[in-house]
């Protein structure tokens, strides 16, 4: 017999009964219960069912993206993250995960588009500036990359990437 993901004991989790926040919290807790018991497939199935019931809710797509990514199901992770982003309410981390997966697939135009979409929403996302600078440099569009390198260095002046990009700017100026 299958698990009824609309019920936990006597609690009815059908869509009409709970607010979005309470409903998501209950799903997250049930997923944590399954995860602690090593039931990764049940966790994915739980979130897939909730996504199917609430396709407009970005958080279910985001959760599935992370789960698929952890399971090595990269194409499904990309599709889930892309759905979350398309809904317009995805977390910044979701944009960045999607852009990074696109980068792993060498789909650089999509890395750029996803990074730009995040920067429209939040211009202070240093990692989006770094990714966009990388893509623009890769495409030979160094003049455009400079603005994003500078923005990245202003927002995140520490670390290996910052040192590398600062070196690139100095070399470019010479």
């Amino acid at each position: 017999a299958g698990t009824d993901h609309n019920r936990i004991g006597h609690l009815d989790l059908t869509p009409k009964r709970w607010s979005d926040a309470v409903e998501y919290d209950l799903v997250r807790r049930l997923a944590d219960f399954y995860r602690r018991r090593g039931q990764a497939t049940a966790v994915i199935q739980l979130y897939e069912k909730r996504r199917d019931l609430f396709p407009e809710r970005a958080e279910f797509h985001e959760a599935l993206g992370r789960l698929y990514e952890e399971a090595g199901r990269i194409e499904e992770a990309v599709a889930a993250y892309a759905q979350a982003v398309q809904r317009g309410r995805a977390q910044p981390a979701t944009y960045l995960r999607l852009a990074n997966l696109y980068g792993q697939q060498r789909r650089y135009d999509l890395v750029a588009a996803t990074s730009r979409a995040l920067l429209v929403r939040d211009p202070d996302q240093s990692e989006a500036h770094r990714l966009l600078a990388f893509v623009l440099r890769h495409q030979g569009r160094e003049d455009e990359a400079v603005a994003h390198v500078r923005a990245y260095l202003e927002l995140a002046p520490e670390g290996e990437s910052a040192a590398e990009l600062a070196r690139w700017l100095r070399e470019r100026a010479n």
Side-chain angles (χ1 to χ4, degrees):
T3 304
D4 182 357
H5 299 297
N6 286 326
R7 297 197 69 74
I8 300 177
H10 68 282
L11 295 176
D12 185 357
L13 297 178
T14 55
K16 294 176 237 160
R17 303 279 308 205
W18 299 95
S19 73
D20 287 353
V22 171
E23 196 272 338
Y24 184 74
D25 186 57
L26 288 171
V27 170
R28 186 185 52 75
R29 288 172 189 252
L30 182 57
D32 288 344
F33 174 81
Y34 288 149
R35 194 176 285 114
R36 284 191 304 273
R37 281 152 184 75
Q39 297 175 305
T41 301
V43 175
I44 289 173
Q45 289 171 344
L46 172 65
Y47 278 109
E48 286 173 338
K49 189 166 189 175
R50 300 330 278 178
R51 176 212 51 209
D52 294 345
L53 285 171
F54 302 103
E56 73 285 355
R57 303 260 311 269
E59 63 267 29
F60 294 121
H61 296 281
E62 289 173 315
L64 277 168
R66 286 188 299 276
L67 292 167
Y68 291 146
E69 194 174 353
E70 289 169 8
R73 295 163 59 176
I74 301 305
E75 288 300 322
E76 290 168 288
V78 166
Y81 289 143
Q83 285 295 312
V85 166
Q86 286 175 359
R87 290 189 169 31
R89 293 184 305 273
Q91 297 295 316
T94 300
Y95 285 82
L96 295 173
R97 285 174 188 235
L98 179 59
N100 278 305
L101 289 177
Y102 284 146
Q104 290 173 20
Q105 296 173 329
R106 303 195 187 311
R107 297 166 73 182
Y108 298 118
D109 288 341
L110 293 174
V111 173
T114 304
S115 298
R116 287 183 199 281
L118 177 54
L119 289 171
V120 164
R121 196 174 146 196
D122 183 356
D124 291 337
Q125 285 291 323
S126 63
E127 187 64 11
H129 284 290
R130 188 189 70 77
L131 289 170
L132 191 51
F134 169 80
V135 168
L136 293 169
R137 286 177 57 198
H138 177 77
Q139 293 174 337
R141 297 162 57 187
E142 292 190 355
D143 290 341
E144 291 176 67
V146 167
H148 293 286
V149 169
R150 286 187 177 137
Y152 175 73
L153 293 173
E154 185 177 309
L155 294 165
E158 305 295 324
E160 188 177 321
S161 292
E164 177 188 329
L165 289 171
R167 223 177 359 266
W168 176 77
L169 271 182
R170 282 192 304 276
E171 290 169 4
R172 192 173 187 284
N174 294 336

